[in-house]
Structures are given as structure tokens and as C-alpha cells.
Amino acid sequence: MSKALRLLFLVTDFFFILYWLVTFFHLIPEEYLYQDYQNELLVIWNWSFFPLDILISVTGFISLYLFRVKNEKWRALALLSLTLTCCSGLQAIAFWTIKRDFDLMWWIPNLFLLLYPLYFIPKLITFKHQDVSLQAKHNH
């Protein structure tokens, strides 16, 4: 796992947990809340991301741990975490686009979530494929 991916996992997973703690305790100043924040349906929509975001953090942190203890299963969990992160960002961006709400305060973090995994996902898949190819050659 590259240093960049390790750092991105740490930062992203930490901030997911921090965001949900801040949201739960209503600590975001009103001027930074998304448009129509008082709309019950939007609050429910926002909370619908909670299980996904926490799963992202859990798989990311476990992946980091497995990498540290040299367990090859880190790749599968890293790939899962990155894929879910991309989905989380995509769902939010799709919603804000359909709603025609273009607040950069919410778009920038969600574009980050959508885009950064796209750099690492192919590398993990390619690396894993290369490992399998090398093992097959070595075994014959």
C-alpha cells in the first residue's frame, strides 16, 4: 500500500467518523449547513449515508491494520473501502445535481470522495492480477 493511500485512508476515515459525531451533536454552524437542512426528508437522506460511511471507515482502518501486520487481505478490504467511498461521493453528487444545489462547501468534499478512489482502484486490481500471474508462472 502506498504512503499516499495510507494517508488518504487515515484522513478520509477519520473525517467520516468526525463528520458523523459533529452531525449527531449538531455542531455544524448553521451558515455551513446544506440548503433546506431543516427539511426532515433531507435530514433523513443525509443520515441514510451513515451506515455506508461507517462501513467505509471500518474497512479502511482494518485494511491499514492488515497491511501493517503483512496480511495480504488488506488489498481486498482496501478495494472494498475505495469502491464504497466512490459510491458515497457519487450518490451525494448525483443528489445535489438533481436538486440543482451547487454549494461548493458540499460539492468539494463529495467530489473528492468520488474521484480519489478512481486513481487507486485500478492499481489495486492490476497489482493483484500481476501477483496471480507471477504465482502461476512460479508454480509451473
Side-chain angles (χ1 to χ4, degrees):
M1 183 183 306
S2 69
K3 285 183 182 182
L5 182 55
R6 289 193 310 257
L7 178 63
L8 286 166
F9 270 165
L10 281 172
V11 170
T12 303
D13 298 338
F14 171 79
F15 276 102
F16 265 135
I17 292 168
L18 181 63
Y19 171 78
W20 286 110
L21 286 171
V22 165
T23 300
F24 179 78
F25 290 109
H26 305 282
L27 300 176
I28 299 175
E30 209 165 305
E31 62 268 17
Y32 296 117
L33 296 174
Y34 50 82
Q35 191 181 68
D36 298 329
Y37 183 80
Q38 300 306 321
N39 180 329
E40 183 181 354
L41 191 56
L42 284 180
V43 173
I44 292 167
W45 168 81
N46 188 50
W47 275 98
S48 75
F49 281 82
F50 175 76
L52 176 59
D53 293 349
I54 295 304
L55 184 58
I56 290 165
S57 291
V58 168
T59 55
F61 285 134
I62 293 173
S63 176
L64 289 169
Y65 170 76
L66 291 175
F67 176 77
R68 205 173 67 170
V69 298
K70 298 179 181 10
N71 183 325
E72 285 300 310
K73 292 181 181 176
W74 74 263
R75 272 193 196 89
L77 281 171
L79 187 57
L80 177 59
S81 186
L82 288 168
T83 303
L84 293 175
T85 301
C86 189
C87 291
S88 181
L90 176 62
Q91 283 303 113
I93 292 297
F95 177 82
W96 297 122
T97 300
I98 293 166
K99 194 172 179 298
R100 294 189 175 140
D101 184 351
F102 300 103
D103 183 348
L104 288 179
M105 184 74 150
W106 294 99
W107 270 72
I108 290 171
N110 284 295
L111 281 172
F112 168 77
L113 295 174
L114 170 63
L115 297 175
Y116 105 78
L118 297 177
Y119 176 78
F120 292 99
I121 289 171
K123 292 179 181 300
L124 285 174
I125 293 170
T126 303
F127 190 73
K128 185 65 176 170
H129 177 70
Q130 288 171 348
D131 283 356
V132 170
S133 297
L134 290 173
Q135 283 178 343
K137 285 180 185 178
H138 182 65
N139 291 338
H140 288 354

